[in-house]
Amino acid sequence: MRTLFCILLYVLCSFCVKGQLLSGDWEGMMGPVHLNLYLSWQSDDKSYVVRMESPDQYELAIPVDSLVTTPDSIICIARKAHSVLRGRIDYNGKISGIVLQSGHTYPFFLYRQGSPAYAIYRPQHPLPPYPYREENILFTNTDTSITYSGTLTLPEKGDTFPAVLLISGSGPQDRNELIAGHKIFLVLADYLTRQGIAVLRVDDRGTAGTTGEYVMSSISNFADDAAAAVRYLKTRKEINPAQIGLIGHSEGAMVAPLVIIRTNSIAFLVMLAGPGVDGEDLAVQQLKMQLRSIGVSNNNISAYVPLFRTMLRTAMHNDSTGLYQLQARTFSEWRKQQLPSALTALRLDAPSQQALLLKSMSRGLFINPKRSLVQSDNPTALMQVKCPVLALNGSKDLQVSSKENLAGIQAALERGGNKAVTTCELPDLNHLFQHAQTGAFSEYANISETFSPETLKIISDWILQQTVQRFTTAAQ
């Protein structure tokens, strides 16, 4: 399945329906894990050029052997990928159908940007023309080993502005923090810029237009990247250098305090679903929430957590040589003490499930970003943050528990002597700050809302209080 989702194709062939019916940019998702999919269709009445890509995957050019359209359907055959894509065209602006690959069938759908169907699919995604200035920019780190690609949005009116840098969560993210079809940072940047705040959003290292390598990098490296972005903002005449702040989402809220410590020039910090505990405790919190969400009892969770902690610590204090075997022995001893019903409830009764656990707790933890996340000491970093902080979290967040982490953030900042702290748990919002039923990952793609409007207003109002309004008061 994943091979087809890596497609980056260009094809020129005869066009049997009016070009304008399919011309334009389309976006959607495919497969059971909601991989993002894009299609750009440029055409006239006689021919067309199609560009298809899935930014969640590595780019892989696959030739298309046949591409056929009728007035209401499209068929794409890629023999190298052993794949056939069949879709039906809805002229309200949707293509939906199935992907056949190697005997398996997967659904896909695409919406045409600007169409009535797209307006329902992602109503908050802004489309040009925008009522502000937008500039695609490039800058480098200090030793010029990495070139960063990003987008700077500037309010239409005025000469100098407060500014924020958006720092994305875990995983290689593009500048829009594209998750489950939602361009979270595009929506956030659009709203803030309309309120008079300049916004810089940047592709992560090794992602989209930014060079470098993601997999071998750590949270400390990501902090270096963000610091380079702050230095770039200071070179812009439109930006007030005394009013540059950070907005970090999830892991980005772990990166942001490190940037503040290193630059010592950040005016404010907004933490969105940010951890207030260390990396090990965060991993345990996430484990507990995920197990509860699938109906595992508290007794079975309590039995599993000590094993999970032991395996985490074993991975952190050993190199990869022989680690899988070491973890297997630890698991075997624990399993002997468990009832069969507990193993079934924890989904660890089958050998294949056990092997998956052992792989994730050995090889999986030697991916640098994951390893550095588990090793992070967030409370110690927060104690060194002296600027005003706004920390927000949703009550239905199943990745960063709201109550424990908001309390941890407040406690760490106050231990460091920072009293300019505002924390708020927002009811019924998930990790992406969408209104949600349960907060489960599976809901993200199916919710039309990208970012709750009330949260956007809270963020904007608070930033303006720290910058424009405070500056005006001081001047008077």
Side-chain angles (χ1 to χ4, degrees):
M1 176 187 73
R2 299 177 71 87
T3 307
L4 178 66
F5 301 163
C6 303
I7 292 178
L8 179 59
L9 64 90
Y10 293 86
V11 65
L12 184 66
C13 57
S14 61
F15 193 29
C16 59
V17 294
K18 292 292 185 180
Q20 60 266 28
L21 295 176
L22 292 172
S23 294
D25 295 323
W26 300 68
E27 65 179 81
M29 287 177 287
M30 50 187 170
V33 293
H34 302 306
L35 298 174
N36 296 292
L37 174 66
Y38 289 95
L39 183 148
S40 179
W41 198 299
Q42 299 176 355
S43 63
D44 53 33
D45 286 344
K46 295 182 179 179
S47 64
Y48 58 81
V49 176
V50 177
R51 179 176 183 268
M52 184 184 290
E53 63 181 24
S54 177
D56 295 325
Q57 309 300 310
Y58 296 106
E59 289 190 359
L60 178 62
I62 299 176
V64 174
D65 304 286
S66 177
L67 185 60
V68 179
T69 62
T70 72
D72 65 352
S73 67
I74 178 174
I75 300 173
C76 172
I77 300 173
R79 291 192 180 93
K80 184 177 179 180
H82 308 288
S83 304
V84 179
L85 182 149
R86 299 176 181 271
R88 185 157 296 278
I89 303 166
D90 173 349
Y91 290 109
N92 283 323
K94 182 178 181 180
I95 301 174
S96 59
I98 58 171
V99 174
L100 304 173
Q101 184 179 45
S102 303
H104 300 282
T105 302
Y106 308 103
F108 83 91
F109 61 83
L110 292 161
Y111 293 96
R112 183 179 182 179
Q113 292 183 4
S115 69
Y118 182 80
I120 296 172
Y121 168 61
R122 295 292 180 254
Q124 287 179 289
H125 284 188
L127 296 171
Y130 305 120
Y132 49 78
R133 292 171 282 167
E134 181 183 62
E135 182 180 340
N136 291 324
I137 54 94
L138 296 173
F139 60 95
T140 66
N141 55 357
T142 303
D143 63 7
T144 70
S145 61
I146 298 178
T147 298
Y148 303 93
S149 180
T151 299
L152 177 64
T153 50
L154 297 161
E156 189 66 38
K157 297 180 180 180
D159 297 320
T160 59
F161 312 99
V164 294
L165 169 67
L166 306 186
I167 307 175
S168 65
S170 59
Q173 302 284 352
D174 69 6
R175 68 194 67 188
N176 293 323
E177 200 185 36
L178 179 66
I179 300 174
H182 290 282
K183 299 177 183 179
I184 300 168
F185 279 2
L186 172 65
V187 171
L188 181 55
D190 175 77
Y191 185 90
L192 294 178
T193 309
R194 291 171 188 261
Q195 311 309 311
I197 302 164
V199 181
L200 176 59
R201 59 192 200 273
V202 183
D203 298 328
D204 287 352
R205 59 166 63 195
T207 305
T210 295
T211 64
E213 186 168 344
Y214 179 86
V215 173
M216 299 305 295
S217 303
S218 66
I219 288 178
S220 179
N221 297 137
F222 303 146
D224 290 339
D225 298 338
V230 171
R231 288 193 295 272
Y232 171 78
L233 283 172
K234 290 180 178 179
T235 69
R236 298 292 301 236
K237 61 180 175 51
E238 306 96 332
I239 304 302
N240 184 336
Q243 296 185 339
I244 297 174
L246 307 176
I247 299 180
H249 179 217
S250 192
E251 183 185 285
M254 300 166 64
V255 173
L258 301 181
V259 181
I260 293 171
I261 294 167
R262 294 177 189 184
T263 62
N264 198 31
S265 61
I266 300 301
F268 58 88
L269 167 63
V270 179
M271 301 178 69
L272 301 177
V277 298
D278 65 36
E280 181 184 309
D281 285 341
L282 177 64
V284 170
Q285 286 179 2
Q286 291 174 337
L287 173 74
K288 289 179 177 179
M289 289 188 290
Q290 293 306 313
L291 291 176
R292 288 192 190 105
S293 74
I294 61 174
V296 179
S297 70
N298 287 332
N299 286 340
N300 286 332
I301 292 173
S302 296
Y304 183 51
V305 165
L307 170 70
F308 184 76
R309 280 193 185 275
T310 298
M311 295 178 83
L312 274 180
R313 292 171 182 174
T314 299
M316 293 302 104
H317 293 94
N318 292 274
D319 61 28
S320 58
T321 305
L323 180 59
Y324 186 95
Q325 291 74 17
L326 185 59
Q327 299 284 43
R329 288 195 294 271
T330 301
F331 176 79
S332 179
E333 291 300 317
W334 174 83
R335 183 181 57 187
K336 292 175 184 177
Q337 304 171 36
Q338 308 307 314
L339 294 172
S341 59
L343 294 174
T344 300
L346 291 165
R347 301 184 182 180
L348 291 173
D349 51 335
S352 60
Q353 295 167 327
Q354 296 168 14
L356 183 62
L357 169 67
L358 295 174
K359 183 177 179 180
S360 67
M361 298 301 285
S362 52
R363 299 166 201 155
L365 285 173
F366 277 86
I367 298 173
N368 272 14
K370 290 184 180 179
R371 192 173 181 82
S372 66
L373 189 151
V374 175
Q375 294 174 325
S376 63
D377 186 355
N378 305 314
T380 297
L382 286 167
M383 287 175 62
Q384 301 176 67
V385 172
K386 307 304 179 183
C387 65
V389 176
L390 171 66
L392 304 176
N393 204 306
S395 67
K396 292 186 176 178
D397 190 332
L398 296 185
Q399 293 178 252
V400 179
S401 174
S402 58
K403 286 183 170 56
E404 292 91 339
N405 285 282
L406 288 175
I409 290 168
Q410 178 126 15
L413 289 166
E414 291 182 350
R415 279 199 304 273
N418 190 344
K419 303 299 183 183
V421 183
T422 302
T423 64
C424 183
E425 181 186 63
L426 301 169
D428 299 323
L429 300 187
N430 63 17
H431 189 64
L432 305 189
F433 291 86
Q434 303 167 303
H435 288 90
Q437 293 296 315
T438 68
F441 303 155
S442 58
E443 291 181 336
Y444 293 173
N446 298 322
I447 299 173
S448 62
E449 180 180 77
T450 295
F451 206 104
S452 75
E454 60 267 36
T455 306
L456 291 171
K457 187 175 189 306
I458 290 170
I459 296 168
S460 176
D461 288 351
W462 185 85
I463 292 174
L464 292 174
Q465 288 173 5
Q466 310 310 310
T467 56
V468 176
Q469 294 176 20
R470 177 172 293 183
F471 181 79
T472 302
T473 301
Q476 292 174 347

